[in-house]
Amino acid sequence: MKMLINVAETVVADALRGMAAAHPELTVDVENRVIVRRDAPVADKVGLVSGGGSGHEPLHGGFVGRGMLSAACPGEVFTSPVPDQMVRAAAAVDSGQGVLFIVKNYTGDVMNFDMAAELAEDEGIQVAKVLVNDDVAVTDSLYTAGRRGTGATLFVEKLAGAAAEEGMPLERVEAIARQVNENSRSFGVALSACSTPAKGSPTFDLPAGQLELGIGIHGEPGRERRAMMTSGEIAEFAVDAILDDMRPNNPVLLLVNGMGATPLLELYGFHAEVTRVLAARDIAVARVLVGNYVTSLDMAGASVTLCQIDEELLRLWDAPVRTPALRWGI
Amino acid sequence: MKMLINVAETVVADALRGMAAAHPELTVDVENRVIVRRDAPVADKVGLVSGGGSGHEPLHGGFVGRGMLSAACPGEVFTSPVPDQMVRAAAAVDSGQGVLFIVKNYTGDVMNFDMAAELAEDEGIQVAKVLVNDDVAVTDSLYTAGRRGTGATLFVEKLAGAAAEEGMPLERVEAIARQVNENSRSFGVALSACSTPAKGSPTFDLPAGQLELGIGIHGEPGRERRAMMTSGEIAEFAVDAILDDMRPNNPVLLLVNGMGATPLLELYGFHAEVTRVLAARDIAVARVLVGNYVTSLDMAGASVTLCQIDEELLRLWDAPVRTPALRWGI
């Protein structure tokens, strides 16, 4: 697999140098691998810190900015960041109002964020944590016990970020983040595997003419492998897998997310099918996002995430946001 | 090549249905294949219409909105739209101040936009045209006589779009579009070929361990094929190919553009190298955009575009824009 890189060892550092050059509104500490909004700490505002393995861009670094994350900690590709990064991030964004850690449910991430929370509290920073585990495809997988955290991370970061920006206290921001996760479900499919820079070849073997249903964001196995399906069939499978698990009785936020290598042309076509299936199931869509947001390097495929909302969550969704990857209202 | 589609024949129509569902701020005529900003025609404003083959998304439909295009006409994949689409678009956006056609230099597009301009003028719409031909890689290629139009299209659409939004008359908007094209140069590389839905397999053969330098946005041949290079070497080659053709004596706008399947992680790393090379060549960068904007379906690779600017162009760049793919200041 050819890659646009120098050497595998410097991929994350090179990307951080590029982010620093592209986004003067962020402070990028390349050596210590922490991306912080330049105006942090914002007085009287709860700080939001997330992070995880690299390879899912724009998640999380592309979501740092006003109305969303205060800081992000990128690990090596598909590898948890270390506690030291998280403690540095927490210290950089804490205004005295405390910090919320947003943690995708992968064993390494959970362990390291737990350790970082203890270390940060030793330094006098109040820390709350919320776990994101929205993927209905499998319970327990290669990388985690329990459900994986995937597309709902974007919803948690946006909605909790808006709550923090409004000046809500830590316990309220935490409660909103938890509510968003509990109200969210995702399901993804892969048409191709991804290749990590270190391995240089596909992380798993997906034969011609087959797709993997219920894929995670690291190339870990999904729920089942089938003969290739149409966009409409995939949309039905994904939406029904979600609805089997959660039946929204309110309008939803909808994320139709590309895994990386699927062209936007195909993704919009898939979105049309998802919209058709949701309408047939009497699910009202309040807001939509279509694009590559929670990716898996060069994997082809897509995921669907629904989040059941109420008036407050809708207001928080519509609130201004200004990050490299998500931007409106400012 | 597996694709997230129903059948090849409906790919463009499906994508347009998806755009309609995702973007209520646009009017999408799926049957006639015209995407128009919903508030068109805007009183006393010059209309901007572009279009071209599909497969380069978000170009052009993703650039329709306030401060950029008034309308876009998507053709079949890698195939020019037809004059009827362009005439409909012109009629939908003309407020009486005339319409500018922004045309990438491909034989089919040029011919059809010429014909559409005549037809629109027969209907009493004043039409001006600007040709985008920024790609320094080759003169004459599979699809065109003269240089191809690639990344600079984004700059032309943004800057002329801002000029139109400010209320400038047609001849001034046209002059700015022409100036932007004359001040812009691009160079692209492919690490893999792309696959069109109709063909279902790569449009050309790029052996393992090789890359194509000077690629266009349709998988047409580039300048030369070489053994795989590092990100830093590619950045040097691309920047120097541009500087051999144009030596900016002003700050530039920089677009580091992904061809579709290259992960954002790699693209930011490439941007770091482009930034390093530009600094070494004493080129000052005023503004930067890193992302997938002018793509080639699932091709892996990237392109670099520089546009030499002055104070007026910088002001127009910073002016508010609100489109699906480019958005700031509103």
Side-chain angles (χ1 to χ4, degrees), chain A residues 2-7 11-12 14-19 21-23 54-55 57-58 77 189-192 195 197 206-211 228-234 260-273 275-276 288 290 292 297-298 300-302 322 324 327-330, chain B residues 2-7 11-12 14-19 21-23 54-55 57-58 77 189-192 195 197 206-211 228-234 260-273 275-276 288 290 292 297-298 300-302 322 324 327-330:
Chain A
K2 287 166 279 185
M3 293 176 184
L4 188 56
I5 63 174
N6 289 317
V7 291
V11 162
V12 174
D14 288 349
L16 288 174
R17 287 192 295 123
M19 281 207 76
H23 301 294
S54 293
E57 290 67 28
V77 171
V189 303
L191 275 56
S192 77
S195 299
L206 192 49
Q210 289 190 27
L211 83 168
M228 194 55 201
M229 296 156 69
T230 65
S231 168
E233 289 164 349
I234 294 170
T262 287
L264 208 47
L265 185 71
E266 295 178 26
L267 205 59
Y268 271 113
F270 181 58
H271 172 56
E273 297 299 327
T275 300
R276 177 184 60 76
V288 174
V290 180
N292 294 292
L297 292 170
D298 62 338
R322 183 179 195 145
R327 189 162 185 153
W328 57 72
I330 311 181
Chain B
K2 286 167 279 185
M3 294 177 184
L4 188 56
I5 63 175
N6 289 317
V7 291
V11 162
V12 174
D14 288 348
L16 288 174
R17 287 192 297 122
M19 281 208 76
H23 301 294
S54 291
E57 290 68 28
V77 171
V189 303
L191 273 56
S192 78
S195 299
L206 192 50
Q210 289 190 27
L211 83 169
M228 194 55 202
M229 296 156 68
T230 65
S231 168
E233 289 165 349
I234 294 170
T262 287
L264 208 48
L265 185 72
E266 295 178 26
L267 205 58
Y268 271 113
F270 180 57
H271 172 56
E273 297 298 329
T275 300
R276 176 185 61 75
V288 173
V290 179
N292 294 292
L297 292 170
D298 62 338
R322 183 179 195 144
R327 188 162 184 153
W328 56 72
I330 311 182

Side-chain angles (χ1 to χ4, degrees), chain A residues 34 37 105 154 173 282:
Chain A
V34 181
R37 53 185 274 192
N105 189 32
L154 183 152
V173 175
D282 285 324

Side-chain angles (χ1 to χ4, degrees), chain B residues 124-175:
Chain B
I125 301 170
Q126 192 189 352
V127 176
K129 282 175 298 182
V130 63
L131 205 63
V132 183
N133 59 350
D134 53 308
D135 184 352
V136 302
V138 292
T139 45
D140 302 339
S141 80
L142 208 55
Y143 295 96
T144 197
R147 289 180 166 182
R148 301 175 293 216
T150 58
T153 317
L154 183 152
F155 290 146
V156 172
E157 294 178 358
K158 170 67 180 86
L159 297 167
E165 206 72 50
E166 283 189 2
M168 293 188 193
L170 181 57
E171 63 181 17
R172 184 81 192 103
V173 175
E174 178 191 359

